[in-house]
Every structure is written in C-alpha cells, then in structure tokens.
Amino acid sequence: MLRIALSALLLAGLLTAPAAAAADPIPEGAVVDQFDGTTLGEDWTVLSPDDSRWSLSGSALRLDTLTGDTHQATNNARNLFLVDVPDGDFEVVTKLSAPVSLDYQSAGLLAWQDWDNYVRAGLAHVGFAGGR
C-alpha cells in the first residue's frame, strides 16, 4: 500500500494547509485536512511517534527537530505522518516551510511504501553541493 508521508528529518518544519481558494473542485473521496483542530484527522497515522515534538496550531502541523533518517540502513526517522493514497494517479497539494541551513537537514514529502521503498521530495541542505 502506498502512503504519503510528511516528514521533518533532522529539522524543525512547518506544514500548512493550502488555501481553499487555490484548489480546484475537490474530488469525491479525497483526503483534505486543514489542520484547524487540536487533533489529527482520522485518516492520519504517525510512524515512530514522539508526541512531544509536534503540534497543530494556526492551520499548520508543526514538527520540531528530531535526529533520524530513512537513508539506506538508517531507518530511525521519527514522526512520519502518513495518509493512504488511492490506487492509480493522485495529486498532493501542500505548503512546506523549513529553515534548512545545516548539512543533512531535510524536510519534505515522501511517497511511502516502507522503510526501503519511497520517493522523497522536499528541502535539504548539502554543503558540498552548494547548500540548499
């Protein structure tokens, strides 16, 4: 089963809900979370949770720095927020901000199957490659 994972690996991050006015009509069965409550919606699960390092406020999911990664055999990332995606094509709309400034800090979105099968997109800092 494929899931979308929101992650902040080695970094404090902020994920905000997209503006409702910017979205096209929402397809039937779509998962939409404006993060406007005090608890996650029922569609979310958290892999390797540390409840003291995340919160919901101001229509945003806020993640605080946690050491960990999913690179090769280093499968110790914490607070991966997962939601199932439908079979076939799908679209993800989100806004991510993160002060990526130190080597190997990253935050982003993963199309997640398991610890060894995923695609990561987001922000990362790699000094030898010029930074962000």
Side-chain angles (χ1 to χ4, degrees):
M1 172 182 302
L2 186 64
R3 294 177 156 189
I4 291 296
L6 308 172
S7 72
L9 306 175
L10 302 176
L11 171 72
L14 170 67
L15 181 76
T16 57
D24 289 330
I26 298 170
E28 184 177 332
V31 174
V32 177
D33 196 331
Q34 297 294 333
F35 300 124
D36 56 359
T38 57
T39 59
L40 286 173
E42 64 184 33
D43 294 312
W44 292 98
T45 58
V46 183
L47 182 62
S48 300
D50 180 341
D51 292 338
S52 70
R53 302 303 293 261
W54 68 272
S55 64
L56 293 172
S57 64
S59 295
L61 170 61
R62 299 176 189 282
L63 305 171
D64 292 327
T65 302
L66 286 169
T67 300
D69 206 341
T70 58
H71 181 69
Q72 296 180 353
T74 307
N75 293 328
N76 59 356
R78 305 290 305 272
N79 283 340
L80 297 175
F81 291 77
L82 305 173
V83 64
D84 292 337
V85 296
D87 291 334
D89 294 341
F90 62 92
E91 180 179 347
V92 176
V93 178
T94 190
K95 178 181 176 184
L96 173 76
S97 63
V100 177
S101 60
L102 300 175
D103 277 351
Y104 306 110
Q105 287 183 325
S106 65
L109 198 61
L110 297 108
W112 180 269
Q113 183 173 339
D114 58 41
W115 289 102
D116 297 316
N117 298 285
Y118 61 87
V119 175
R120 184 186 312 196
L123 300 171
H125 189 281
V126 183
F128 69 82
R132 247 178 124 160

